[in-house]
């Protein structure tokens, strides 16, 4: 019997009454490993109303208790990192180490959520006028929701609900229907950590269930990570319904290589940053921009990338796994073919890759193009596969102009031995996350994940201090107390401080 993925509503795992199910497949074999339900409207209402009811008591829970919940949760995630990673491997196809890293980056955000008391501190000014004080409090919004993608089924949900819940909100999570079992395991551990019933709800499905969250009057804020078109839809629809929205969308990340950079470091960095995780990450380096004489290294980069190969997660020599679905593979192969037709030089072609013993897997081999121009589809579109475009320019100014002309601004990097070049780049480039001799500059959670331009729609970013601002409101109080009030109570006034 194929596993039916359950819903997590009001602290309990329950089988959906839905008649609509979506198959969850192993992308290396196409074997159906589970059926995920499309949550019914009644079940969606139950989840949201349970979250609303739980909010009434959860918001009154002392912030120190909320922090201790996150400490217990982080401990359980660490203890079960390997078994969560195993679920990721089976339903997404990641290599074991990549899957463990997925979990670990989520754990780091939970650890940040355990610091919530200091992050929730307000501000105070005494005597803003004579005998008048002003101070501010930070208070939760209510019921928040998250819509997460397939490519990091542990990390991205853990970006969202721990910070929101630590702030005093309750949360409804709709994970990707392509790998839903990871989130269910995480929710199970959250309940084991002592989370009260109703604080976290997990519903499953597709656009119909997302639309319920976008239109429901009790949902106060929406967090989303996914594709450009869906991100724009989430942002427009959510804000039209007067909700706060943070929508992380597409990317086309450039890495600029200066002639004074260390060649071996450049080559090694590009191998992992371009094809790692099968290219299915929004921080992948998909464009390498070689400045001046550095262009001589392009054949060496292609040769190094050509030494890696995809495979199943049980193969210790596999560099990365399959694409998530046959449709995703077909799209990547179509873009590779289009790149050839538009005149790019295919130095390394992975479109015909074969993984022995797994003929039905969604495999795409590492692919490298040179002579890429900005009007080509492989440059304009986010391929989301193991494909690296290489380009050449004559100067750092040209490189900066190229990067800044892109509609996306998620991440970028520069490799150089020059402090002046590095500073000029970090100052002038119009991208939210910049690496200097670091190819994938994802910050640790005490900073924020900060995409710019078409890579992000909203005002406050993920995790860190900005997440706290996103999931809270500020209340400012101006107070004055009169001596006559004290006199009226009499000299024997007593105050119970317990």
């Amino acid at each position: 019997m194929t596993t039916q993925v359950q819903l997590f509503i009001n602290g309990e795992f329950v089988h959906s009454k839905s008649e609509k199910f979506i198959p969850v497949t192993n992308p290396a074999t196409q074997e159906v490993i589970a059926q995920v339900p499309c949550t019914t409207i009644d079940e969606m209402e139950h989840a949201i109303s349970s979250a609303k009811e739980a909010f009434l008591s959860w918001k009154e829970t002392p912030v120190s208790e909320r922090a201790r919940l996150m400490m217990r949760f982080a401990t359980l995630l660490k203890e079960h990192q390997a078994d969560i990673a195993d679920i990721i491997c089976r339903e997404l196809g990641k290599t074991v180490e990549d899957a463990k890293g997925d979990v670990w980056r989520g754990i780091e955000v939970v650890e940040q959520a355990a610091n919530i008391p200091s992050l929730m501190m307000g501000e105070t000014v005494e005597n803003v006028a004579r005998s008048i004080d002003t101070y501010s409090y930070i208070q939760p919004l209510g019921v928040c929701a998250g819509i997460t993608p397939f490519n990091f089924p542990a990390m991205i949900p853990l970006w969202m609900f721990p910070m929101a819940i630590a702030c005093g909100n309750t949360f409804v999570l709709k994970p990707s229907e392509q790998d839903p079992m990871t989130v269910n395991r995480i929710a199970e551990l959250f309940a084991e950590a002592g989370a009260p019933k109703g604080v976290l709800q997990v519903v499953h499905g597709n656009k119909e269930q997302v639309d319920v969250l976008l239109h429901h009057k009790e949902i106060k804020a929406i967090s989303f990570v996914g594709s450009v078109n869906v991100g724009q839809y989430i942002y427009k629809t959510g804000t039209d319904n007067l909700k706060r929205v943070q929508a992380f969308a597409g990317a086309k990340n450039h890495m600029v290589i200066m002639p004074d950079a260390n060649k071996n470091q450049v080559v090694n960095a590009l191998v992992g940053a371009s094809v790692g995780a099968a290219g299915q990450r929004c921080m992948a380096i998909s464009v390498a921009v070689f400045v001046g004489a550095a262009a001589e290294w392009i054949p060496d980069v292609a040769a190094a990338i050509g030494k890696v190969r995809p495979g199943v997660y049980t193969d210790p020599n596999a560099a990365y796994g399959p694409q998530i679905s046959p449709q995703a593979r077909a799209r990547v192969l179509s873009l590779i073919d289009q790149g050839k037709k538009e005149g790019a030089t295919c130095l390394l072609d992975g479109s015909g890759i074969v993984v022995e013993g797994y003929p039905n897997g969604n495999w795409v081999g590492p692919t490298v193009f040179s002579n890429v121009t900005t009007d080509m589809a492989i440059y304009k579109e986010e391929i989301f596969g193991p494909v690296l475009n290489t380009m050449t320019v004559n100067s750092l100014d040209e490189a900066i102009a190229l990067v800044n002309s892109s509609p996306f601004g998620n991440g970028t990097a520069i490799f150089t031995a020059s402090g002046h070049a590095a500073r000029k780049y970090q100052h002038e480039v119009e991208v939210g996350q910049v690496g200097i001799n670091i190819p994938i500059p994802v910050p640790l959670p005490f900073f924020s994940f900060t995409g710019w331009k078409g890579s992000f729609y909203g005002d406050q970013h993920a995790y860190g201090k900005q997440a706290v601002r996103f999931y809270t409101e500020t209340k400012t109080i101006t107070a004055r107390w009169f001596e006559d009030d004290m006199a009226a109570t009499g000299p024997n006034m007593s105050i119970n401080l317990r």
Side-chain angles (χ1 to χ4, degrees), residues 286-325:
S286 54
V287 183
V289 183
F290 292 83
V291 179
E296 298 173 2
W297 304 344
I298 293 175
D300 298 287
V301 170
I305 292 177
K307 294 177 182 178
V308 304
R309 61 177 181 81
V312 293
Y313 72 94
T314 53
D315 178 358
N317 296 314
Y320 60 86
Q323 302 301 117
I324 183 63
S325 68

Side-chain angles (χ1 to χ4, degrees), residues 187-329:
E188 187 176 27
L189 293 174
F190 193 55
E192 186 178 334
K197 288 186 176 182
V199 168
L200 174 66
Q201 320 278 335
V202 178
V203 296
H204 297 289
N206 47 32
K207 183 178 182 295
E208 181 182 2
Q209 288 68 37
V210 168
D211 282 339
V212 172
L213 299 175
L214 292 174
H215 290 89
H216 203 288
K217 64 184 178 63
E218 295 300 340
I219 301 295
K220 306 302 181 185
I222 302 270
S223 299
F224 167 82
V225 177
S227 66
V228 175
N229 291 340
V230 178
Q232 291 175 346
Y233 173 78
I234 296 286
Y235 184 74
K236 290 176 181 177
T237 309
T239 53
D240 281 349
N241 283 278
L242 306 180
K243 304 182 189 307
R244 288 190 183 180
V245 181
Q246 52 176 199
F248 296 84
K252 197 72 178 180
N253 304 318
H254 298 67
M255 181 170 134
V256 173
I257 299 100
M258 299 297 291
D260 63 358
N262 181 294
K263 177 181 174 181
N264 289 334
Q265 292 174 356
V266 167
V267 172
N268 291 336
L270 278 173
V271 171
S274 61
V275 302
Q280 298 178 126
R281 54 186 177 193
C282 66
M283 289 296 288
I285 294 295
S286 54
V287 183
V289 183
F290 292 83
V291 179
E296 298 173 2
W297 304 344
I298 293 175
D300 298 287
V301 170
I305 292 177
K307 294 177 182 178
V308 304
R309 61 177 181 81
V312 293
Y313 72 94
T314 53
D315 178 358
N317 296 314
Y320 60 86
Q323 302 301 117
I324 183 63
S325 68
Q327 295 79 13
R329 175 179 179 269

Side-chain angles (χ1 to χ4, degrees), residues 359-379:
N360 297 321
N362 306 320
W363 310 112
V364 178
T367 301
V368 179
F369 282 100
S370 65
N371 299 317
V372 175
T373 60
T374 57
D375 59 345
M376 295 178 178
I378 55 172
Y379 179 79

Side-chain angles (χ1 to χ4, degrees), residues 4-16 36-37 39 43-44 46-51 54 73 161 165 171-175 180-205:
Q4 180 181 324
V5 179
Q6 293 181 298
L7 311 175
F8 185 64
I9 297 178
N10 200 29
E12 296 180 354
F13 283 99
V14 295
H15 285 289
S16 174
V36 61
T39 309
E43 290 163 344
M44 292 292 296
H46 184 198
I48 295 169
S49 63
S50 297
F73 185 38
F161 79 82
I165 290 173
F171 205 87
V172 180
L173 178 61
K174 206 299 285 184
M181 295 185 291
T182 299
V183 159
N184 273 26
R185 180 64 177 128
I186 288 171
E188 187 176 27
L189 293 174
F190 193 55
E192 186 178 334
K197 288 186 176 182
V199 168
L200 174 66
Q201 320 278 335
V202 178
V203 296
H204 297 289

